[in-house]
Amino acid sequence: MKISLLISTYDQPVSLAKVLRGVGRQTRQPDEIFIADDGSGDETRALIEQWRREARTPVHISGNPTTAFERSFC
């Protein structure tokens, strides 16, 4: 069974960091992670890029402002 994790974020680096730490602690890692960043203007994008470099799982990022959520999840 393939597990895909979908995360949507916008200017929430603290909350996103908690989510990503929780993902890292799971005994069964997802096969892929999709993160939709809806144009964050803070350090959210840097956090996503750092996670992408360090993750054991493929991380796909959608970052088009105002459309990231719609294109990724609808």
Side-chain angles (χ1 to χ4, degrees), residues 4-51:
S4 298
L5 176 62
L6 310 173
I7 302 170
S8 179
T9 187
Y10 177 73
D11 285 343
Q12 293 293 323
V14 174
S15 297
L16 180 60
K18 289 179 183 179
V19 168
L20 294 175
R21 280 194 302 273
V23 170
R25 288 192 301 260
Q26 298 300 309
T27 55
R28 171 63 165 97
Q29 293 292 304
D31 297 299
E32 58 188 352
I33 300 172
F34 292 89
I35 302 177
D37 176 24
D38 204 13
S40 294
D42 58 7
E43 61 271 2
T44 300
R45 186 64 180 208
L47 175 66
I48 294 169
E49 291 296 340
Q50 177 184 351
W51 177 260

